[in-house]
Amino acid sequence: GILVQCYLLPVDCGHKQHPLNLEKAHSLVLSMAGRESATLDSPISVDPFQNWPEQNTLIALWNKWSESKETDKLERIEELRSIVLDTRVSHTQTLNVHLQRWLTSQIDETPEIVEAILMKHLSDLVPQESPTPSHPDDARPNPKTFLLAMRAWLWSSRPEAPQRVEKILDLMDDLHESTKYQRFKPIDRHYKYVLRSWLRHCESGERHVGTHGKLLAAEHISLHLRQFPMKYRPDNVVSTNIAECYETVLDAWARQEIPQEEHVMVDQLQNCLAWLDKFQEILSAKPTPPHCNAVLRCCVRWDGTKERRKRAYEVASGVYRRGRPDATTFVLVVRIVKSSLGEAIGEVHVAQMCDIVRDAKREGLLSQQLVWEIAEVAGPQELQNLFDVSKRAAERFVALRSMSLSKEKDGGEELLVWSGEKEAAKHFSVENMPRSWCHLALQHQQKD
């Protein structure tokens, strides 16, 4: 293995690979796997039973062939694939280490390779539960093996990833049903991976074929989650994975694009509320900030008619009162108030938003984004009272804000940013405000 790695080293400072060295490395790997005797003047003769190539060696050689411009590189890669699948392990832990190495390899074919390794080891299983010398029990795939295969697809950018993750979950279901082995029983994390794999399709607004038919991505996620707590919830404790499953379904409905002709049939806001109610029911406590914020993001996007904006405002007010907030919660609520009223914002509404900002200050959750949100609509007097700035500083800020406050895209979210005179904005920087107002918001920002 060390000799193979030496052959793969660049021959000069330009990082060029000598073609003959790549052939020597490949020939040596074939010899190590018992495919052929070492050639190309290699002095090494190896016993495949004692010197089978390690996964790191195979991955390194695979990467070099992928980068190569040699005409036979596809044939060489197929030879490596055969060796990877023929690699025998005696312990499940070793099998899982091999899969983890492939997950960090950045090779395009990783999802197929990892799934193929899983299927290869499943095909070697004997029907009885007791181990035999040729098929030791501890060499069989366990729940982590299936998780790694799911993760390979989850981390890929392939459009078919959700269906492939579903296929692995269905396989676990079938194996558990037929064998009753605990090692095949899906747990909360398997379901979480299936749910998260469908998130990539929420913003397309298209229907996709999956286990439950041709549905919107958020509908696939909802149907999987409806099955999960009834069949596989191990106890009455809301684990981190279960909480993340509910966060995923809420995030899915908040992000789901709905085709124009289906707006009447599919109600994103109602689905968000129903899942938040369900989560609060099993939690037996106030919903956590990520779950509430997903519903609030759905409210932000719930625009259009006056009735829709009014409903979004009412839903957001209820979620704000019933859940536990974080810094993002206050920003989203202020945005919803602004978007639901449009040009009709009056003094009463500004006062209401100022109360929300005071709540954030009291909780230590005042963020820079919240400052810009309220500063966009508040008058000089409100800004003086909220942030203890001078009358002159407040008036100067208000005079410049129409030209200096603008929206920028950060991923899928719009953020308000100040791009004008720094002197006018320095009094409104959270860095210059009392720490008691913003210390938790700053801690959260540092973690992000």
Side-chain angles (χ1 to χ4, degrees):
I2 294 174
L3 183 56
V4 171
Q5 297 285 353
C6 290
Y7 279 135
L8 297 179
L9 291 174
V11 296
D12 58 24
C13 296
H15 303 290
K16 291 182 179 179
Q17 176 69 47
H18 195 291
L20 192 58
N21 282 353
L22 185 56
E23 288 287 354
K24 287 181 178 179
H26 191 84
S27 176
L28 185 53
V29 165
L30 292 180
S31 180
M32 293 168 71
R35 297 297 195 270
E36 63 178 44
S37 299
T39 58
L40 298 171
D41 303 322
S42 171
I44 304 296
S45 178
V46 294
D47 178 359
F49 295 103
Q50 300 295 326
N51 296 279
W52 191 272
E54 294 183 354
Q55 296 302 299
N56 286 343
T57 303
L58 295 170
I59 289 169
L61 185 56
W62 190 307
N63 271 320
K64 289 298 182 182
W65 278 120
S66 298
E67 298 167 1
S68 170
K69 296 181 180 178
E70 299 296 317
T71 56
D72 61 345
K73 73 174 189 177
L74 294 180
E75 178 186 343
R76 299 302 194 184
I77 287 175
E78 282 305 311
E79 289 175 338
L80 293 178
R81 188 192 305 271
S82 173
I83 295 173
V84 169
L85 296 181
D86 286 347
T87 301
R88 298 184 65 84
V89 296
S90 57
H91 299 284
T92 301
Q93 183 179 0
T94 306
L95 170 62
N96 292 341
V97 168
H98 286 181
L99 297 187
Q100 286 172 328
R101 286 174 178 164
W102 278 100
L103 258 63
T104 58
S105 69
Q106 298 182 336
I107 290 175
D108 291 340
E109 298 91 340
T110 289
E112 289 92 349
I113 295 168
V114 171
E115 185 177 343
I117 294 173
L118 169 66
M119 300 305 294
K120 171 72 175 177
H121 283 82
L122 286 173
S123 67
D124 288 341
L125 292 179
V126 290
Q128 67 269 19
E129 174 70 12
S130 58
T132 63
S134 59
H135 298 278
D137 185 58
D138 56 3
R140 300 177 180 183
N142 65 4
K144 184 175 181 179
T145 315
F146 289 93
L147 279 173
L148 292 169
M150 287 180 164
R151 192 181 299 166
W153 284 108
L154 183 64
W155 287 0
S156 76
S157 57
R158 311 285 185 80
E160 73 274 20
Q163 291 88 343
R164 301 300 286 263
V165 178
E166 280 186 336
K167 176 186 170 185
I168 296 171
L169 180 68
D170 292 340
L171 175 62
M172 291 188 73
D173 259 333
D174 293 341
L175 288 169
H176 181 247
E177 193 69 28
S178 61
T179 66
K180 307 303 180 187
Y181 296 171
Q182 286 297 110
R183 64 173 61 238
F184 297 138
K185 183 178 180 179
I187 57 175
D188 48 14
R189 193 174 296 178
H190 295 106
Y191 264 85
K192 181 178 75 173
Y193 282 7
V194 174
L195 269 54
R196 286 192 170 179
S197 69
W198 277 110
L199 275 178
R200 71 188 65 200
H201 289 315
C202 286
E203 293 166 9
S204 70
E206 298 176 1
R207 292 182 175 273
H208 300 269
V209 176
T211 300
H212 299 102
K214 192 172 184 179
L215 305 169
L216 295 170
E219 292 174 326
H220 281 291
I221 292 172
S222 295
L223 287 171
H224 277 298
L225 189 52
R226 283 196 188 103
Q227 288 183 355
F228 164 65
M230 294 182 291
K231 291 176 64 178
Y232 296 108
R233 188 175 169 197
D235 47 45
N236 202 34
V237 176
V238 180
S239 69
T240 301
N241 288 316
I242 293 176
E244 288 178 0
C245 285
Y246 279 89
E247 184 182 346
T248 301
V249 74
L250 289 165
D251 191 27
W253 282 112
R255 291 163 55 178
Q256 181 67 60
E257 289 290 338
I258 307 295
Q260 190 66 36
E261 64 275 10
E262 298 185 24
H263 273 175
V264 178
M265 297 182 292
V266 182
D267 191 327
Q268 298 142 283
L269 200 51
Q270 183 57 42
N271 277 290
C272 270
L273 271 178
W275 282 111
L276 186 66
D277 291 341
K278 178 66 177 174
F279 180 64
Q280 188 169 4
E281 178 186 332
I282 68 168
L283 192 65
S284 301
K286 285 187 174 184
T288 56
H291 301 84
C292 293
N293 292 346
V295 182
L296 294 176
R297 286 191 178 93
C298 188
C299 293
V300 170
R301 299 183 64 224
W302 197 254
D303 53 10
T305 65
K306 183 178 179 181
E307 289 73 21
R308 282 168 64 91
R309 290 197 300 270
K310 180 182 177 182
R311 184 179 171 212
Y313 172 77
E314 292 170 348
V315 169
S317 299
V319 171
Y320 176 61
R321 287 192 297 268
R322 72 192 272 195
R324 301 205 305 267
D326 65 3
T328 303
T329 307
F330 295 104
V331 173
L332 291 170
V333 172
V334 169
R335 281 184 187 167
I336 292 162
V337 174
K338 290 159 69 174
S339 63
S340 63
L341 296 169
E343 299 296 325
I345 295 178
E347 292 183 5
V348 174
H349 308 116
V350 172
Q352 180 187 6
M353 287 185 277
C354 287
D355 287 340
I356 295 170
V357 175
R358 291 188 184 95
D359 289 344
K361 287 166 57 179
R362 188 166 49 250
E363 298 289 338
L365 291 168
L366 180 68
S367 65
Q368 188 63 65
Q369 192 58 211
L370 182 58
V371 173
W372 295 145
E373 292 288 347
I374 191 63
E376 187 184 33
V377 294
Q381 188 61 54
E382 287 89 356
L383 294 178
Q384 279 184 262
N385 296 337
L386 277 175
F387 303 119
D388 293 342
V389 298
S390 68
K391 179 180 179 181
R392 182 175 177 276
E395 289 175 344
R396 177 65 176 163
F397 182 91
V398 171
L400 294 174
R401 70 185 176 189
S402 61
M403 297 181 294
S404 301
L405 271 178
S406 58
K407 290 182 179 178
E408 290 186 359
K409 276 279 188 181
D410 182 18
E413 192 173 353
E414 279 191 340
L415 299 178
L416 273 173
V417 295
W418 179 272
S419 56
E421 182 184 304
K422 291 183 179 179
E423 185 65 25
K426 73 175 185 179
H427 299 290
F428 297 91
S429 169
V430 292
E431 296 290 339
N432 300 323
M433 294 181 184
R435 274 292 182 267
S436 60
W437 295 359
C438 53
H439 66 282
L440 294 178
L442 292 173
Q443 286 176 16
H444 181 72
Q445 181 180 346
Q446 288 170 356
K447 287 179 183 178
D448 290 346

